[in-house]
Amino acid sequence: DHWRYQIDEQLRQHATPDGFVFMTGVNFAYREHLRNFKCTLERVGMNDHFVVAALDSEVYKWGVLQGFPIYLAESAKQAGAVFRLGSEFGSPGFVSVTKYKSLAVLEVLKKSYSVIWCDVDISWFVHPFDALAGYMKPNSGLAIQSNAPYIDNPNYIAQPHKTVAALNQTDAPAAYRRLNSGLYVAPHSPLMISAFSEIVEHGAQSKLTEQPSFDEILCHRRPSERGHSHCTYRPR
């Protein structure tokens, strides 16, 4: 019952005192991405409060041998499949694996923990909790990144490289399909569980990745509604 590499023990051992866990999830095809991701976290001083949802049994076995704070997500148990080709962007395996991520987050939310989700292709230059402290508030709303280009900050140069032209205008942060499910803070609440339940349900019926389901449920589908920099989610 106290086997370290299962969800209840990992959450108990690694959650912050107020119930937040920094979470990612991978299948076997992304194991080397995970190794690199963990190294970048350690470089900025994050040595705890980090858990990994194994999205197939092979990466779970590999992660246990590596000593990662890993557990086998319930979705992986149900599927009983290994998505070896899931690393090829846009492939059927890739699309299927992305939907396991929001399902894994829902599993943790239902256990009364709050989640900071981060894909393994994101690099951190400061401790994630320092960067996201303003959003880590119990019972607050979902804070999610936008892929709208960012142009208006007088303190920073928005031009990423000299070969990239400066932008004069851009979409609203909450414009259609601008929500990016690679990084978000999801504090535990009944409303958050409802939102993720709808996201998972929508994703199961979609032929796309999980990301458009976030936009559809949180912003586009009534009675939810979209603003300039935020969406108001209302359960059906």
Side-chain angles (χ1 to χ4, degrees), residues 45-212:
M46 187 163 196
N47 299 302
D48 198 5
H49 309 308
F50 171 51
V51 297
V52 182
L55 303 182
D56 63 37
S57 58
E58 283 200 7
V59 80
Y60 174 65
K61 295 172 185 176
W62 176 87
V64 169
L65 292 175
Q66 299 293 323
F68 280 88
I70 198 167
Y71 67 91
L72 186 63
E74 187 63 33
S75 56
K77 298 176 191 176
Q78 294 170 357
V82 177
F83 295 99
R84 280 186 172 275
L85 302 179
S87 60
E88 184 180 346
F89 183 82
S91 68
F94 176 88
V95 170
S96 297
V97 168
T98 65
K99 296 175 184 181
Y100 277 19
K101 297 189 299 182
S102 47
L103 188 54
V105 170
L106 177 59
E107 183 182 7
V108 173
L109 290 172
K110 285 182 175 180
K111 291 183 176 292
S112 300
Y113 290 88
S114 298
V115 173
I116 299 173
W117 175 271
C118 184
D119 282 352
V120 291
D121 61 353
I122 292 176
S123 296
W124 291 91
F125 298 94
V126 296
H127 194 294
F129 287 179
D130 291 339
L132 300 172
Y135 305 105
M136 295 172 62
K137 300 175 182 178
N139 297 312
S140 63
L142 179 77
I144 186 168
Q145 71 175 347
S146 167
N147 23 9
Y150 187 68
I151 63 169
D152 186 22
N153 188 333
N155 298 315
Y156 295 94
I157 299 173
Q159 192 173 345
H161 189 266
K162 62 182 180 181
T163 60
V164 178
L167 295 171
N168 295 317
Q169 61 182 14
T170 186
D171 294 345
Y176 182 64
R177 289 200 176 171
R178 281 304 191 180
L179 301 191
N180 187 316
S181 60
L183 174 63
Y184 56 82
V185 183
H188 169 264
S189 69
L191 193 63
M192 196 69 67
I193 291 172
S194 173
F196 271 82
S197 296
E198 287 199 55
I199 289 167
V200 167
E201 179 184 349
H202 183 273
Q205 305 301 319
S206 171
K207 294 182 180 180
L208 304 175
T209 65
E210 66 156 11
Q211 189 159 285

